[in-house]
Structures are given as C-alpha cells and as structure tokens.
C-alpha cells in the first residue's frame, strides 16, 4: 500500500508509535511517507526506507524536545496540508493516518474537504491529552469533534481511553483499541537473573517521564524518600521537563540527596530500565504508559497509580502493583514489601517479561494494517458535514 503518516517529531509515545509504525510498514514493503514538523528527535535513521517530509528546518523548532508542539500557526497548517495534498496526488496514497489529534485531525479534515470521497482512507489514532485536555477545552473540543468525524476509522490505545474519547467528542461509537507496541529486540531483560540477587549494588528505582504536571513527579520524590527511610535504595530520574527543578529541590532538601541520579533526556531508555528493580509511575492519568510496558519487557515490575490504561497495561499483583491516586503511603508499603521479597520480585519480573512479549511491533503493525483495508463495519463515524 501507499501510506502517509502524520505525527509529532518530539520525544513522546505518540511520536514513537507513528515513527516506528511507519518504519515497520516500510520494512514490510509498503511505500510510506512520514509527515512531521521537523526531523523526528527519536528513532530516526535516514536509511529506514520511509520518505520523510518535514515542514520546517530543524533549527526553526525552539520548543523543549519533551513538549508536543500543538499550537501551529494557520500558515504552517496550510503549508503542511498543501505538502500532503501534493504527495497524495503524486503518489496516489491509499491511506493517511495521524497519531495524536492536535493538529493532525484538522489536517485530515482539510484533506477530506479538498478531496471528498477521493481522499485516501483517513485513519486517526487518539493518544492522550488530545482527548483529556483538548476534549475539555470548550474552544477546541467541538471543532475537534467535527474533524474526527471526517475519519474513516478512529482508534485509540486502551479501552478506558476509548470510553473517554467517545464521551469527550460525543462519538457515535467508541474508537477501536489498538494497543501500543514496543521493539522487543531493544527492550529485553539482561541479564536473565534477578537484579535483586546482586548484593553488590543498592536497590534501584527508576522513573522516566517528561516531568509535566500530569506525571505528578513530586510524588515520585516523596514515595522514594518514604522507601529510602526503610531501605538502602537509589532513584534514577530519566527525562526532563517543567517540574524537574521542583522535584530536584525537594530531593536535595532531604538527607538522601546523594542517592538520586539525574540522567536527563535519553534517546534510548532501555539501558536505564534494564538496570532497575522497580519502575515508578505516579501519573494523574495515562491512556497507556509506554514506559510501563518497556519496563516490563526489560523485566522490571511496575509500581504505578491505578489510572486510565495503566490498569490494562499492568496486570495488578502479577506484573506490577497499582495504588490509588494520591495514596503515597500505600505506594511506599507496596514497594518495600516487593523489594524485600526476592522470590516474589523474581516471579513478578518473569510474568512482566512474558506479558510484555504480547505487545511486539508485529502485533501493532498487523492491527493497523487491517484497519487500512476498507471494511463495511469499521466506520466509527459516518461522514458528517465538514
Ligand atoms: O497525550 C500526551 O500527553 C502525550 C502523548 C504522547 O505523545 O506521548 O502521551 C499519550 O500517548 C502515549 C502513547 O500512546 C501513552 O503511552 C501515554 O499514556 C499518553 N499520555 C497520557 O495519556 C497523559
């Protein structure tokens, strides 16, 4: 097939899924065009077989790399749409698929407006704050809902997020669920023995995020300090973002400041996950939580808030432990119990590896490729006037 893919270029799960899907489809012999604002920051290699179309030179993007650039100017949107229309005409694209609705659902809507039924099959994937943030914004939500109705198929990454999306945009049916996927060749445990059986190093808790308020990273600090009062442990913080200075200040005021490592933004988080005993996620909401899946694939149990799609990604009590949002005391108790029980930790680690093996690239590619074929029943939204 001839496929166009739109996604953000920054760090972040939706960009990674869009880019990895594009590359995987190209490897399977499809002709794939990727449309991004600037060159993707993660996972991009010119020899990957995907044709990259960027709107701007890389130096023109001055936003923090962990931020999704959603507020495009009208001019940028128009030029991006025109570039895509040119490629559709020249290459006769069969499919145009976006990952993350803002601003790409509006581009798909423009394509529908220009080409009507001659448009390629339009597929949209909702990822997170495109629903939870923009779906609540009265200035954006109605327009976004109208744009989403232009798609032939709409998907999202978990059942709980599908429910939220249907309510936020008043959709006639829930988006289909296509789970996120990871490269299991990259996210794998090493060595295959429990890190807990290595007395030579302290227990290691890792947190990976973009340190936005939705990640509630001050709770990462508080939970770690609670654990540290009861156990020798260190905290690895991977990533960067607006709340990192406050988190750092909180940790540096404590007597365990020397037990924290600040590792910054990393293109490849696998080595940091692999060296950890526990992944800690304190998000107020996650539609999925890619890093939870990546950690499990590396043999690292997850301790996370019981929110959104995390309840589908982590098997409670088997591949990780979920605690009620805001109950940091419970989180500390759960962590200490697990980290002081090597047999239970090892069982959880093995279960996590097995469970994550069901989320390989092949599964994701197969599910999306099926959606690219026109089907009678999959029109979540019959075309409304645009
Ligand atoms: O929605 C966002 O805030 C950003 C988005 C992204 O591009 O990283 O994250 C969402 O999509 C990821 C990939 O599907 C999910 O793993 C994240 O859970 C989700 N974030 C939220 O729901 C807050």
């Amino acid at each position: 097939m001839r496929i166009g893919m739109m996604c953000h270029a920054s760090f972040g799960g939706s960009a990674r899924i869009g880019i990895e899907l594009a590359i995987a489809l190209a490897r399977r012999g499809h002709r794939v065009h990727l449309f991004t604002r600037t060159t993707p920051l993660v996972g991009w290699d010119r020899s990957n077989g995907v044709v990259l179309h960027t709107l701007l030179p890389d130096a023109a993007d001055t936003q923090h790399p962990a931020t999704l650039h959603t507020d495009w100017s009208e001019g940028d949107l128009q030029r991006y749409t025109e570039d895509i229309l040119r490629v559709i005409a020249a290459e006769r694209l069969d499919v145009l698929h976006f990952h993350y609705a803002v601003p790409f659902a509006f581009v798909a809507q423009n394509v529908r407006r220009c080409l009507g039924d001659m448009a390629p099959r339009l597929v949209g994937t909702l990822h997170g704050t495109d629903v939870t943030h923009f779906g609540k914004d009265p200035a954006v939500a109605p327009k976004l809902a109208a744009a989403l109705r232009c798609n032939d198929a709409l998907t999202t990454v978990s059942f709980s997020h599908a429910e939220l999306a249907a309510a936020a945009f008043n959709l006639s049916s829930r988006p289909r669920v296509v789970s996120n996927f990871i490269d299991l060749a990259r996210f794998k445990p090493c060595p295959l023995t429990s890190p807990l059986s290595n007395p030579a190093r302290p227990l290691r808790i890792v947190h990976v995020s973009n340190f936005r308020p939705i990640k509630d990273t001050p709770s990462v600090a508080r939970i770690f300090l609670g654990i540290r009062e009861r156990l020798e442990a260190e905290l690895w913080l991977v990533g960067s973002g607006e709340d990192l200075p406050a988190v750092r200040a909180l940790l540096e005021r404590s007597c365990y400041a020397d037990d924290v490592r600040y590792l910054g933004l990393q293109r490849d988080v696998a080595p940091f996950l692999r060296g950890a005993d526990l992944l800690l996620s304190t998000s107020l909401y996650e539609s999925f939580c890619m890093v939870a899946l990546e950690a499990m694939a590396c043999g690292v149990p997850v301790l996370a808030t019981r929110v959104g799609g995390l309840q589908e990604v982590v098997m409670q009590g088997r591949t990780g432990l979920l605690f009620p949002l805001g109950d940091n005391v419970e989180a500390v108790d759960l962590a200490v119990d697990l980290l002081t029980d090597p047999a239970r930790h090892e069982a959880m680690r093995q279960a996590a590896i097995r469970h994550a093996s069901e989320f390989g690239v092949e599964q994701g590619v197969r599910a999306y490729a099926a959606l690219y074929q026109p089907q009678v029943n999959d029109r979540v939204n019959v075309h409304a006037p645009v």
Side-chain angles (χ1 to χ4, degrees):
M1 299 185 87
R2 292 170 298 256
I3 300 158
M5 195 79 71
M6 300 185 267
C7 68
H8 287 287
S10 48
F11 281 71
S14 64
R16 285 195 10 237
I17 291 294
I19 292 159
E20 286 183 21
L21 179 61
I23 295 171
L25 288 162
R27 286 209 182 110
R28 284 157 183 77
H30 300 286
R31 174 89 172 147
V32 187
H33 295 261
L34 180 68
F35 301 95
T36 50
R37 190 175 167 83
T38 47
T39 306
L41 288 172
V42 204
W44 190 252
D45 164 2
R46 281 169 196 282
S47 62
N48 59 24
V50 175
V51 186
L52 178 66
H53 305 262
T54 54
L55 179 69
L56 299 171
D58 294 348
D61 226 344
T62 51
Q63 287 217 344
H64 189 284
T67 318
L68 291 187
H69 196 148
T70 51
D71 55 340
W72 292 29
S73 69
E74 274 306 315
D76 281 354
L77 265 180
Q78 197 178 327
R79 280 196 306 115
Y80 185 79
T81 307
E82 284 163 5
D83 287 350
I84 291 177
L85 285 168
R86 256 195 303 278
V87 174
I88 291 173
E91 299 274 328
R92 293 189 293 109
L93 296 187
D94 301 301
V95 174
L96 182 62
H97 183 176
F98 72 74
H99 285 273
Y100 199 91
V102 182
F104 306 114
F106 298 111
V107 177
Q109 183 183 33
N110 287 339
V111 168
R112 174 71 74 202
R113 278 185 179 137
C114 292
L115 302 179
D117 284 346
M118 301 305 285
R121 184 170 168 74
L122 299 175
V123 178
T125 298
L126 302 168
H127 275 274
T129 44
D130 45 1
V131 173
T132 54
H133 175 71
F134 292 104
K136 283 195 193 123
D137 181 343
V140 184
K143 292 184 208 157
L144 191 50
L148 292 175
R149 289 196 188 91
C150 296
N151 287 279
D152 294 296
L154 204 54
T155 79
T156 190
V157 297
S158 63
F159 290 96
S160 69
H161 205 61
E163 196 108 357
L164 274 188
F169 300 117
N170 202 12
L171 301 172
S172 53
S173 58
R174 279 192 298 255
R176 290 185 170 217
V177 175
V178 177
S179 289
N180 286 332
F181 54 85
I182 53 171
D183 181 353
L184 293 167
R186 220 154 56 75
F187 292 98
K188 58 181 179 197
C190 170
L192 276 164
T193 56
S194 170
L196 244 62
S197 64
N198 178 359
R201 67 154 179 80
L203 294 169
R204 209 170 271 155
I205 296 157
V206 66
H207 172 79
V208 182
S209 83
N210 50 21
F211 288 81
R212 284 180 304 162
I214 201 164
K215 305 290 176 180
D216 188 19
T217 46
S219 284
V220 171
R222 292 192 189 102
I223 291 169
F224 169 70
L225 294 175
I227 297 169
R228 183 62 192 85
E229 286 193 344
R230 291 164 61 185
L231 291 177
E232 287 280 332
E234 56 183 38
L235 175 65
W236 283 10
L237 294 174
V238 180
S240 160
E242 64 182 283
D243 282 352
L244 183 57
V247 170
R248 191 167 189 149
L250 211 158
L251 289 162
E252 282 179 353
R253 277 199 307 273
S254 80
C255 46
Y256 302 116
D258 291 347
D259 298 321
V260 185
R261 286 183 63 192
Y262 302 89
L263 296 150
L265 275 177
Q266 297 289 337
R267 283 197 156 78
D268 184 7
V269 299
F272 301 98
L273 293 175
R274 226 172 269 142
D277 304 298
L278 190 68
L279 174 92
L280 177 56
S281 167
T282 50
S283 296
L284 306 178
Y285 179 77
E286 290 285 350
S287 66
F288 188 89
C289 195
M290 290 287 282
V291 74
L293 178 56
E294 291 164 351
M296 290 189 295
C298 291
V300 181
V302 175
L303 175 63
T305 41
R306 193 182 301 137
V307 294
L310 268 162
Q311 300 165 92
E312 297 165 47
V313 176
V314 177
M315 292 164 77
Q316 168 69 321
R318 293 183 58 201
T319 70
L321 300 164
L322 300 173
F323 61 95
L325 190 60
D327 196 345
N328 292 352
V329 173
E330 166 83 354
V332 171
D333 285 345
L334 289 171
V336 171
D337 286 352
L338 181 64
L339 293 172
T340 51
D341 186 342
R344 183 165 168 240
H345 185 271
E346 179 59 23
M348 204 173 263
R349 182 176 139 73
Q350 294 303 335
I353 297 166
R354 274 195 307 277
H355 180 54
S357 71
E358 291 163 21
F359 295 83
V361 176
E362 194 52 47
Q363 278 90 330
V365 173
R366 226 182 293 129
Y368 281 120
L371 277 173
Y372 293 167
Q373 305 293 338
Q375 288 161 24
V376 184
N377 292 326
D378 79 344
R379 285 215 165 182
V380 281
N381 299 293
V382 177
H383 293 171
V386 284

